[in-house]
Amino acid sequence: MTAIRPLVMKFGGTSVATVDRIKNAAAIVKQQKAKYRHVVVVVSAPGDTTDELIEKAHQITRTPDVREMDMLLATGEQVSIALLAMALKEMGHDAVSLTGPQAGIRADAVHTKARITSINPANIVKHLRAGRIVIVAGFQGINPNDDITTLGRGGSDLTAVALAAVLKSPRCEIYTDVEGVYTTDPRLVPEARKLDTISYDEMLEMAGSGAQVMQGRSVEVAKKYGVVLDIKSSLVRSPGTVICR
Ligand code: ADP
Ligand code: ASP
Ligand code: MG
């Protein structure tokens, strides 16, 4: 059997914050599916869902149990995968949503900031071979105790990059609320300049000094496996920033 090398796309929280944004994300996926044939989509929780869930937990207890915290936070991403799958089906595409565990993502036992230990992509590949668009919940995996764990804030970036590495994707597209990586945060500094390309090390440096546009750990994994990243806006069609060697 020939290897399947799907495009991996990731949509951050603002890109799936409302029903209209979910439909917009589905339209972008449809377009890329026509181009790449096989597509895996990773999504974050809608909008501020994760922050709101953390806030709720802290209204109940000052010291939430970390296992229960992960159980709670993992629900956010499940809202997005199901709604995006429905949107794609409505557009006439076969799509299937998978949680992190269903996608074969195994993690260590450190709750709320687990590391991915391995990925068994068999289930994803089975659905891709059947012609389906596979939609995976970001930010989550299953640990050796069969408990759900989350991968730390911004962890959907890591899910996307790790899947792109395992599936040997030609590239990993990160759709967000800015048009790419800028010299500095464009929301704070209007004169910030968009960069066409940057190296992994430059992006690591920026992530290290607080640029949340890409989670630092995900950039480390991209560098290690040579995953080409393309950071772009889900709302404005314009060339983004390519991160490569
Ligand atoms: P997502 O929800 O799509 O993962 P994030 O909020 O995690 O998006 O990251 C995007 C945000 O990162 C932007 O809205 C921007 O304010 C911020 N940011 C900080 N530094 C930079 C930078 N150098 N270039 C682009 N965006 C940056
Ligand atoms: N929903 C998680 C967070 O807000 C993961 C992510 O968005 O990447 O941190
Ligand atoms: Mg993010």
Side-chain angles (χ1 to χ4, degrees), residues 14-36:
T14 41
S15 300
V16 290
T18 62
V19 165
D20 281 343
R21 295 261 174 99
I22 288 169
K23 289 180 181 172
N24 172 67
I28 298 172
V29 172
K30 180 186 164 113
Q31 192 185 316
Q32 297 304 69
K33 158 91 172 149
K35 193 165 158 193
Y36 286 87

Side-chain angles (χ1 to χ4, degrees), residues 10 12-13 175-178 180-182 184-187 206 211-213:
K10 177 251 169 180
Y175 289 86
T176 184
D177 57 1
V178 286
V181 179
Y182 287 69
T184 181
D185 189 339
R187 295 202 184 282
M206 292 177 86
Q212 65 165 352
V213 63

Side-chain angles (χ1 to χ4, degrees), residues 10-13 43-45 47 49-51 73 76-77 138-139 152-158:
K10 177 251 169 180
F11 291 88
V43 276
S44 294
T49 303
T50 306
D51 288 332
L73 297 190
E77 272 65 18
F139 176 56
R153 298 308 304 266
S156 296
D157 292 334
L158 180 61

Side-chain angles (χ1 to χ4, degrees), residues 106-127:
R106 304 208 67 94
D108 66 23
V110 182
H111 278 293
T112 76
K113 42 184 178 295
R115 279 177 179 272
I116 294 175
T117 50
S118 67
I119 298 180
N120 176 354
N123 198 20
I124 293 179
V125 170
K126 180 190 80 184
H127 285 296

Side-chain angles (χ1 to χ4, degrees), residues 49-77 110-113 139-140 147-153:
T49 303
T50 306
D51 288 332
E52 288 163 9
L53 291 172
I54 292 171
E55 177 60 31
K56 266 191 193 167
H58 282 108
Q59 283 173 17
I60 288 179
T61 165
R62 271 198 291 170
T63 51
D65 181 273
V66 286
R67 179 187 180 279
E68 302 311 330
M69 197 65 168
D70 273 349
M71 189 65 97
L72 178 68
L73 297 190
T75 63
E77 272 65 18
V110 182
H111 278 293
T112 76
K113 42 184 178 295
F139 176 56
Q140 54 178 253
D147 286 329
I148 201 152
T149 54
T150 61
L151 308 176
R153 298 308 304 266

